Structures are given as C-alpha cells and as structure tokens.
C-alpha cells in the first residue's frame, strides 16, 4: 500500500519506538502534523525551537534513548542551531526533523527557506536533505543508527513539503548498512594488556573519567576497576554520576573549578587512565604544564579525541564498557593504602570544598540542601555560570544520567528545557534545574510548555542580580569593573511563575530553604524558587585561565 | 611538511562541502584538491595536498575518517607513489619567440595544444617539481593565464 512521506516519517518514528516529540509546527510542516495528530506519539508543543532541541537532548540524557524534535523551515530550523551544537559538543544522540520548502523552490530564496543542512553541517554528526520520498524510510533508519552508535551525536533530517506529500510503498528497513560508517567497539587486546600492566606498576595513578563512561554504560566496570586496583577517581563535568561522588576513592571534578585534591593528584600523578574524556582545556589548564610526570592511557570511541591535546602513550580505541570490563581481568588486586593514597587523604582533609557557613543565604547552601533532599535519586540539570560550577561541587551524584549540564558549549538557557525533557523521560523522578537569574531568562518561555503539558519541574533560581560568573572574572581580573554584567531589570520571578499558571516561592532567609524545597517537591506543578542569594559570592577553588592545574586560587572560606 | 592524502568518499551532494568545512573549521589550508569519479561511479576519490607536521596530518586523517560519508583515507607517507598534475599555460608568443618556446616544450615533453597569433597554449603533465621548473623557464616569455587540475596521486605496484 502506498503511503505519503508524512505517514512514512511518523511510522518510521514509531518503528524506532519514539513516544514523544518536542517542537513547533509551521506552514511547510502541515502534512506531517496532520498525520501526527492521529498517531500515538505524544507531541509537546514548546514555545521556542531552541527549547525543543534542549528538551530532546535532556530526554536523551535522562533516558539513554533518543530524543526527537521538530521545527519548521527557515526560522524554525535556524532556532535549533544552538541545541544541535550543544548536543554535538556533548556527544548526545538526538534527531532533529526540519520541514523544508518544496524541492522545486530550494535555492530560490523562497519564503522561509534556509539552507539548514548547510548551516548545521558543522554542528551535527550528520545530516540529510530528503529529495525523494523513496529514500525517506532508509534515511530515518540510518539517522537513528548514526545518532546512537560510535561517538553519538545529533542528526538532522530536512524534509521538503512536497516529499511529505509524495507517495510510495513503505517498508521499514530491518538493518542499516553504511559502508562508510563502521564504528569499532572492541579495543585492541594487546593494548588492553599493556595498559593493565602499566596500572599494575604505577605508583601514583589517577582514573580520569568523562561522559563516555555514561554513554557506554561503563559505570559498573569503572567502579570494579577503581576498587580492584585502588585507583583514585577524578571526573569531568560530563562524567558526573559515572562514579559515586561519596566514595573513598572519589576526589571530585578536575579542572578550572575542580577540587584541590583532584587537580593536585592529576598534576603529581605518574599515570592517567582516561576513559571517555577528552582533555578539554577547562580540564587541563595550561597544557605545557599539565601532569608533567604522567604517562597517559586513553580509552575512547573517537580516535580524533586521542592525542589531540595531550600526547597519549597507550591509545585504546573502542567502547569504554567493553574495554574496561576486559581490563579489570588483567589488573592486579590491591588492598594496601600506599603513600599516594595517604597523600590524597591529606589533600582531601586539608582542602575540602567549602564556603562561609554564616547566617547568610548562600548559593552553596541551597545546592547542598537540594542534594540532601533529592539524595541522588532525583535528576539535577543546571544552567551555565556560577550556578553550574557550584552544582558540580555541592551535588552528590551516585548514578549516571542524574546530572545533566551543558558541558562543551556552555549554553545558558539549557538547563530549564533540559529539565523538562528529563522529566518527560523520567516522570517519577524529582527534577530540579539549578539556574542563574541570567540563564533562566534565556528560555523562560518554556514555563508555558511545562504548564500546558503538566510537567512539574522545579527551578531553583540562584538570584544574585548578576551574570555572576562573568562578574567574578571582572572582580578578579578586571578591577571590579562590572561592564555589562548587572541584571538590574530582573522580573519578579514569583509573579512570572504565577502569570504562567505555575507556582512561585521566594526565599530570602537561610532558615527557610529546607521548608521551601520540601514544599516545592510536594506541589504537583512547575515551581520557580527565587533564592535571593549573596550577590557577590565567588566560585572557589579556581584555576585562572592560562594557569597550571595546581596554581589554584583558594578564595576565602 | 607537504602531504598527499587520498580520500574515498560517497559520490553524493554535500560531501565536498563537509570536507572543505573540516579543513576551514580547523584552520588547515588546502594546497590543492582534485575530485573525480573512480572505477565505481558511486564513489569519488579526492586527492588533497596539505601542509603541516605529522600531528596535524594525523588529526586531519582521523577527522576525515570520522565523517560519515568518507569510506577510506590513506596517505602516501610510507608508500612509493606517483603524483601528477595537469597544467594549461597560455604564454605570449610571436614569430621571434615561438621556436624557442617549442624547443623548451619538447625538452620537457609538454605539448602545444593551441596556437594563436600572439600566444600558445601549452599542456603539461607531471609532478609538482617538474611543473614548477617548467613554469619558471617559460615565465620570462610572458604567462598570460595558467590553470591546474590539482595533484592526483596513486600508489605504485599492487598496493
Ligand atoms: C548563551 C550564552 N551567552 C553568554 C554566555 C557567557 N556567560 C557565561 S556565564 C554567564 C553568566 C550567567 O549568569 P547567570 O545565569 O545569572 O548565572 P550566575 O553565574 O550568576 O550563577 C555568561 C553571560 C554563555 N555561557 N551562554
Ligand atoms: Mg546570576
């Protein structure tokens, strides 16, 4: 039986077990939206396509499945760009489907035409322009495959309106075969043994883990490796949740706002075992002074990540879970506390993460309380800025896919829609977006999405009246000249929440924090919590840009 | 260092743009690029000449391999291979210089493919050095226009 392109698209999505799509329609998307209307797919109408893209990503990250978003041609499609770039940088699978003007108009500067495959080429893993309806089912199949395999990433399909209407026979392909795309999962056995040998002989090893551990589901294997070989563990922002943050072997996040112990252990180590992490500049600090005495083992699915920033001694290309599982067999079981472990204990004890514990309402306290109340069982998303860095420091995570934050791109406005996507994926979990007063305003319109679709996410706005992180740099490095960082026109966030039909709670006193959080969790509606925090608090420790990892500013506690 | 990279790609729209993007996004400059169909019409071969140290070359090759439409990447670092580039040169020539030019063309085993009243078009095939040497000798006569196809390369023997 013949089907239209629109029917083929929706049926293909159903074959891929898609249950929910985020997006906004438009003129050239009408044929598909008409089919969507009768389909079992839940459509979540967002208020901006950027919101839809981040929701799809948040959905992917919370569930381990693939989030899908729809946008119409032209401005709808271009509004997706930041969301695609974000998912691409953080290697998160996602499918974006954009409508396009009719094929005979492409290239004519038609109304609402944008060359979205051209525009998104650098920010997607791959993209397609469908010119013939007979290719559509295969393209959808390939897109889902490419998005989820190898180093995952977003894939965009651009679908002209006439292709949505054109008809052909439909059968969904059972498999994909792309001769030019064959990701390698098995690590080289010789390299794995060699790496295990190096671990067995190292005096001062650190296990450095990133988002790849979460993607590949290697957290159990990582725990086994760390415990068997007694490896101190440090992580990247993307790796939060891949290892329990409360554990004898945990040192915390490494990098610009990493812990003293993680940064010092890295610098003094003689062996770094990197798993699914890419030695980003926010992690390494000044490259030529990075871990001068360390040999490096690097396990990654993406060969381009290896020896890109840091020279690697033992590269192992493949899936982290498969490789680490194998490696555990060859590492020797250790039980004794070595001098290295003792040294690390001292660093941890002498330089813990801390802040001033007075009666003032401080961001760190609020985050600590959120961590207490959710006990690692909820999902935390963050915006970008001080709110994000404090969250990395004061949220205790124990399981993967519970800490969702914009890593590589650092996108303000990410956390709120990502929280909505995560809540759709995990309706039984409490979901908090830890936000800044600046960031929340970048996608605040999505509150309407949360209200309309009954998605009761909680937003903890750490309201400091500043673009705080930028202000912090100005305070430290630009003589307190707060150029362009004062947010004096902030709205009343409680009233904003109420205007949208959500709930707003203002918190001005430290002693009110717990009760307010408890109340917010009980309410079965989206809630904005407006925490009026100390305005000029800074994030410490801090490694200034261009400094070595152990040149740490401790700040005042 | 100069490197020749040979890339087999799907013969599809957008592939060239992807490859060009990869170079420009990383600030790598392409010296020359030649694209054409292979014995299998669904596959094109690109020969790309780039400059950079071995680390850059390694990154370029890995990045190329990462593109979904790229089937295979090879360099000729340790392979004996041939390189050829076809050049058309329009050079000023009158009855006083024509003979001299023809002699040079002969020595270099180039070809004269068009004769005008005040110019000649020379077709010259060879590797880069040979073409460079030829161009330097011919330059004093007055080169009016020059086009090059870009280098193509192939490994010798059975490789
Ligand atoms: C979309 C976007 N624009 C600009 C920036 C640069 N930037 C990084 S942090 C920051 C300030 C964030 O302010 P706020 O959300 O209030 O968070 P705070 O640092 O105060 O916690 C800015 C402007 C960014 N990361 N993303
Ligand atoms: Mg702020």
């Amino acid at each position: 039986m013949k089907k239209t392109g629109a029917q083929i698209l929706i049926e293909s999505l159903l074959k891929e077990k898609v249950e929910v799509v985020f997006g906004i329609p438009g003129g050239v998307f009408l044929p598909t939206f008409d089919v969507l209307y009768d389909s079992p797919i839940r459509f979540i109408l967002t208020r901006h396509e950027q919101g839809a893209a981040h929701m799809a990503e948040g959905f992917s990250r919370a569930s381990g499945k693939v989030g899908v978003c729809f946008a119409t041609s032209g401005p709808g499609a271009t509004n997706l760009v930041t969301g695609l770039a974000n998912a691409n940088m953080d290697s998160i699978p996602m499918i974006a489907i954009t409508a396009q003007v009719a094929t005979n108009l492409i290239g004519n500067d038609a109304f609402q035409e944008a060359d979205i495959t051209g525009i998104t080429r650098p920010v997607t893993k791959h993209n397609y322009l469908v010119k013939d309806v007979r290719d559509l089912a295969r393209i959808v199949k390939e897109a889902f495959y490419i998005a989820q395999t190898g180093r995952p990433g977003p894939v965009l399909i651009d679908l002209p309106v006439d292709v949505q209407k054109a008809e052909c026979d439909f059968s969904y392909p059972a498999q994909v075969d792309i001769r030019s795309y064959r990701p390698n999962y098995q690590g080289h056995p010789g390299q794995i043994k060699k790496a295990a040998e190096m671990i067995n002989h190292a005096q001062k090893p650190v296990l450095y883990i990133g988002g790849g551990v979460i993607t590949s589901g290697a957290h159990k294997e990582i725990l086994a490796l760390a415990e068997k070989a007694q490896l101190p563990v440090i992580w990247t922002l993307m790796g939060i949740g891949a290892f329990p943050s409360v554990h004898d072997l945990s040192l915390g996040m490494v990098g610009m706002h990493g812990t003293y112990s993680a940064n010092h252990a890295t610098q003094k180590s003689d062996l770094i075992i990197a798993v699914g992490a890419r030695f980003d500049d926010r992690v390494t600090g000044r490259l030529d002074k990075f871990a001068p005495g360390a040999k490096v083992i690097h396990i990654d699915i993406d060969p381009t990540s290896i020896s890109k920033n840091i020279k690697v001694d033992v590269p192992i290309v493949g899936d982290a879970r498969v490789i680490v599982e194998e490696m555990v067999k060859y590492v020797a079981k250790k039980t004794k506390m070595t001098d290295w472990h003792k040294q690390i204990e001292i660093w941890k004890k002498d330089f813990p993460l801390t802040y001033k514990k007075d009666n003032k309402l401080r961001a760190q306290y609020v985050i600590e309380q959120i961590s207490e109340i959710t006990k690692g069982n909820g999902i935390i998303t963050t915006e970008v800025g001080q709110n994000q860095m404090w969250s990395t420091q004061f949220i205790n995570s124990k399981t993967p896919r519970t800490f969702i934050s914009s890593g590589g791109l650092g996108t303000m406005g990410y956390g709120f829609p990502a929280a909505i996507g995560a809540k759709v994926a995990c309706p039984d979990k409490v979901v908090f977006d830890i936000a800044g007063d600046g960031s929340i305003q970048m996608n605040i319109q999505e509150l309407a999405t949360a209200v309309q679709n009954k998605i009761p996410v909680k937003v903890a706005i750490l309201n400091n009246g500043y673009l705080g992180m930028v202000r912090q740099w100005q305070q430290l490095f630009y003589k307190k000249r707060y150029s362009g960082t004062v947010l004096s026109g902030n709205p009343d966030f409680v009233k904003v929440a109420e205007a949208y039909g959500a709930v707003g709670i203002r918190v001005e006193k430290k002693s009110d924090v717990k009760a307010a959080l408890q109340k917010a969790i009980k309410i079965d509606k989206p809630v904005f919590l407006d925490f009026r925090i100390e305005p000029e608090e800074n994030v410490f420790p801090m490694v200034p840009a261009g400094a070595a990892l152990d040149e740490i500013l401790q700040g005042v506690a | 260092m100069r490197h020749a990279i040979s890339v087999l790609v799907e013969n599809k729209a957008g592939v060239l743009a992807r490859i060009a993007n990869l170079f420009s996004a990383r600030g790598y400059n392409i010296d020359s690029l030649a694209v054409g169909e292979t014995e299998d019409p669904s596959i094109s071969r690109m020969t790309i000449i780039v400059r950079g140290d071995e680390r850059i070359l390694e990154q370029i090759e890995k990045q190329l391999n990462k593109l979904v439409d790229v089937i295979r990447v090879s360099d000729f670092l340790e392979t004996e291979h041939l390189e050829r580039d076809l050049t058309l040169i329009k050079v000023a020539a009158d009855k006083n210089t024509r003979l001299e030019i023809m002699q040079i063309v002969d020595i270099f085993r180039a070809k004269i493919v068009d004769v005008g009243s005040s110019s000649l078009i020379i077709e010259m095939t060879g590797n880069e050095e040979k073409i460079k040497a030829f161009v330097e000798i011919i330059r004093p006569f007055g080169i009016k226009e020059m086009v090059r196809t870009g280098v193509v390369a192939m490994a010798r023997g059975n490789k």
Side-chain angles (χ1 to χ4, degrees):
Chain A
M1 209 185 83
K2 289 206 186 307
K3 301 216 150 133
T4 66
Q7 288 169 325
I8 290 171
L9 173 67
I10 298 298
E11 290 195 22
S12 300
L13 293 180
L14 288 169
K15 293 275 187 201
E16 292 294 337
K17 305 198 169 57
V18 172
E19 289 165 12
V20 54
V21 167
F22 305 90
I24 303 182
V28 291
F29 225 157
L30 286 171
T32 296
F33 272 80
D34 195 57
V35 178
L36 184 64
Y37 198 58
D38 300 320
S39 87
I41 292 176
R42 178 181 181 198
F43 180 69
I44 294 183
L45 172 62
T46 69
R47 296 302 185 268
H48 190 296
E49 289 83 358
Q50 185 188 353
H54 293 326
M55 284 177 210
E57 194 195 317
F59 180 92
S60 301
R61 288 180 66 171
S63 65
K65 299 182 211 160
V66 187
V68 180
C69 58
F70 280 8
T72 193
S73 68
T78 55
N79 272 350
L80 290 179
V81 170
T82 304
L84 291 166
N86 196 83
N88 199 46
M89 283 286 254
D90 286 346
S91 313
I92 307 299
M94 182 173 128
I95 300 288
I97 295 172
T98 50
Q100 182 56 281
V101 301
T103 41
N104 65 321
L105 292 178
I106 290 178
N108 276 10
D109 298 329
F111 177 64
Q112 293 194 329
E113 179 188 358
D115 171 17
I116 199 65
T117 47
I119 290 169
T120 61
R121 214 167 269 137
V123 296
T124 51
K125 182 170 175 186
H126 197 59
N127 64 24
Y128 295 90
L129 168 62
V130 188
K131 286 194 180 146
D132 186 331
V133 69
R134 287 168 298 183
D135 296 331
L136 180 56
R138 174 187 54 82
I139 285 174
V140 175
K141 180 86 189 170
E142 285 185 6
F144 273 84
Y145 177 70
I146 290 170
Q148 290 169 276
T149 51
R151 177 177 178 168
V155 178
L156 179 139
I157 301 173
D158 198 22
L159 191 58
V161 60
D162 54 324
V163 179
Q164 295 171 49
K165 291 190 215 162
E167 294 188 357
C168 74
D169 288 324
F170 170 64
S171 73
Y172 198 61
Q175 303 148 21
V176 268
D177 180 33
I178 311 171
R179 64 179 164 191
S180 55
Y181 178 77
R182 300 245 159 84
N184 167 33
Y185 291 93
Q186 248 60 45
H188 189 283
Q191 294 287 86
I192 294 175
K193 283 185 196 151
K194 192 167 159 194
E197 210 40 41
M198 283 169 79
I199 293 172
N200 293 342
H201 289 108
Q203 303 294 313
K204 296 185 282 180
V206 288
L207 179 55
Y208 157 62
I209 60 176
V213 172
I214 295 174
T215 303
S216 73
H219 49 286
K220 291 208 185 81
E221 288 75 10
I222 286 287
L223 184 66
L225 177 69
E227 289 185 340
K228 189 172 180 193
Q230 288 298 302
L231 302 173
V233 183
I234 61 174
W235 50 80
T236 67
L237 181 128
M238 292 301 296
I240 294 177
F243 194 83
S245 41
V246 182
H247 189 289
D248 284 346
L249 291 166
S250 284
L251 307 193
M253 190 173 80
V254 60
M256 182 173 272
H257 291 292
T259 63
Y260 185 95
S261 58
N263 286 2
H264 274 262
T266 306
Q267 286 301 86
K268 312 261 167 2
S269 66
D270 65 356
L271 179 66
I272 298 175
I273 307 116
V275 187
R278 58 187 174 88
F279 295 97
D280 165 271
D281 54 275
R282 280 292 187 271
V283 161
T284 60
R286 191 169 148 177
L287 262 186
D288 58 355
K289 287 193 177 173
F290 177 75
K295 290 245 184 300
V296 179
I297 297 166
H298 194 169
I299 299 168
D300 207 291
I301 190 89
D302 179 4
T304 66
S305 289
I306 293 176
S307 288
K308 182 173 64 181
N309 302 332
I310 294 292
K311 206 186 130 293
V312 171
D313 300 282
V314 183
I316 312 177
V317 175
D319 179 68
R321 202 193 58 72
V322 175
I323 292 167
V324 176
E325 184 178 36
E326 208 41 37
M327 198 179 267
V328 175
K329 297 180 192 160
Y330 299 106
V331 297
K333 188 169 172 59
K334 291 190 183 158
T335 45
K336 276 218 309 274
M337 274 274 269
T338 62
D339 291 347
W340 179 234
H341 294 107
K342 286 175 199 149
Q343 172 64 73
I344 286 172
E345 277 309 309
I346 293 170
W347 285 330
K348 277 168 81 167
K349 203 162 112 300
D350 290 353
F351 302 97
L353 289 168
T354 187
Y355 59 94
K356 202 161 180 185
K357 307 219 166 135
D358 53 11
N359 283 327
K360 292 193 168 149
L361 177 55
R362 294 183 190 273
Q364 299 96 320
Y365 176 78
V366 174
I367 296 170
E368 249 176 20
Q369 293 311 309
I370 294 174
S371 186
E372 283 274 298
I373 276 190
T374 53
K375 296 192 176 60
N377 299 318
I379 294 177
I380 307 294
T381 72
T382 79
E383 300 292 343
V384 169
Q386 294 181 313
N387 59 84
Q388 179 184 36
M389 290 302 118
W390 283 319
S391 299
T392 68
Q393 296 179 336
F394 294 99
I395 291 288
N396 285 327
S397 301
K398 11 180 230 203
T399 45
R401 305 195 179 281
T402 58
F403 188 90
I404 297 174
S405 189
S406 169
L409 200 64
T411 310
M412 289 171 70
Y414 171 79
F416 182 37
I420 295 174
K423 182 72 180 171
V424 170
C426 306
D428 299 333
K429 289 195 172 164
V430 173
V431 179
F432 263 98
D433 170 33
I434 297 177
D437 48 336
S439 299
I440 190 62
Q441 295 184 68
M442 288 215 179
N443 274 316
I444 201 163
Q445 75 288 344
E446 298 309 330
L447 189 49
T449 306
V451 169
Q452 176 179 347
N453 295 283
K454 302 200 166 41
I455 306 164
V457 293
K458 318 296 164 190
V459 182
I461 302 170
L462 303 174
N463 190 346
N464 53 12
Y466 287 110
L467 296 171
M469 183 55 92
V470 185
R471 184 208 54 75
Q472 173 171 345
W473 286 50
Q474 289 171 332
Q475 179 181 344
L476 298 174
F477 312 117
Y478 290 89
K479 302 192 182 119
K480 279 199 169 193
R481 287 155 53 84
Y482 293 163
S483 173
T485 46
V486 181
L487 293 170
S488 50
N490 273 345
D492 179 330
F493 290 110
V494 171
K495 283 193 184 152
V496 169
E498 286 165 355
Y500 274 103
V503 174
I505 304 173
R506 177 157 302 116
V507 183
E508 281 160 320
K509 291 211 298 275
K510 185 177 182 180
S511 53
D512 292 341
V513 172
K514 273 188 194 171
L517 289 171
Q518 263 148 2
K519 181 175 165 200
I521 289 175
K522 285 214 189 80
I523 299 169
D524 196 27
K525 280 185 177 182
V527 179
F528 272 14
L529 290 132
D530 180 21
F531 291 102
R532 296 301 181 93
I533 58 163
E534 268 302 290
E536 296 198 33
E537 185 89 39
N538 289 330
V539 183
F540 289 115
M542 175 180 192
V543 177
L549 264 193
D550 48 5
E551 293 166 10
I552 301 176
L553 303 180
Q554 273 300 332
V556 276
Chain B
M1 228 168 82
R2 174 186 175 283
H3 307 280
I5 308 174
S6 171
V7 193
L8 285 180
V9 299
E10 293 290 344
N11 186 1
K12 283 195 225 167
V15 178
L16 180 61
R18 260 175 232 285
I19 301 227
N21 235 328
L22 186 158
F23 281 85
S24 66
R26 289 173 178 76
Y28 306 146
N29 195 28
I30 299 179
D31 269 16
S32 100
L33 169 73
V35 197
E37 238 174 65
T38 61
E39 65 281 5
D40 175 349
S42 71
I43 298 178
S44 300
R45 183 185 294 279
M46 297 189 180
T47 309
I48 305 172
I49 307 292
V50 289
R51 264 163 226 285
D53 57 25
E54 274 185 38
R55 228 187 57 142
I56 289 184
L57 180 70
E58 189 186 322
Q59 258 303 311
I60 291 176
E61 287 186 27
K62 286 176 175 177
Q63 295 285 356
L64 282 167
N65 259 315
K66 192 169 155 181
L67 294 178
V68 171
D69 287 326
V70 169
I71 302 167
R72 211 176 69 219
V73 182
S74 41
D75 62 47
F76 296 98
L77 226 45
E78 276 144 25
T79 322
E80 269 218 57
H81 67 286
L82 294 172
E83 287 185 17
R84 289 292 180 272
D85 186 346
L86 188 144
T87 307
L88 295 177
I89 305 166
K90 188 180 282 174
V91 62
D94 54 29
K95 55 180 183 305
N96 299 323
T97 55
R98 195 167 287 151
L99 212 63
E100 199 182 336
I101 293 173
M102 283 166 72
Q103 277 171 352
I104 298 170
V105 165
D106 253 5
I107 295 167
F108 275 84
R109 292 203 217 133
K111 253 195 291 189
I112 289 171
V113 288
D114 187 64
V115 182
S117 56
S118 61
S119 67
L120 297 169
I121 297 180
I122 304 166
E123 176 189 317
M124 162 86 186
T125 309
N127 61 22
E128 280 199 330
E129 281 115 79
K130 185 174 162 191
I131 289 173
K132 213 167 141 197
F134 180 73
V135 169
E136 284 323 305
I137 290 182
I138 224 76
R139 193 183 296 283
F141 295 97
I143 294 176
K144 296 180 155 187
E145 205 179 322
M146 179 164 115
V147 289
R148 299 176 63 165
T149 56
V151 176
V152 292
M154 190 178 270
R156 284 182 189 273
N158 296 329
K159 263 210 124 175

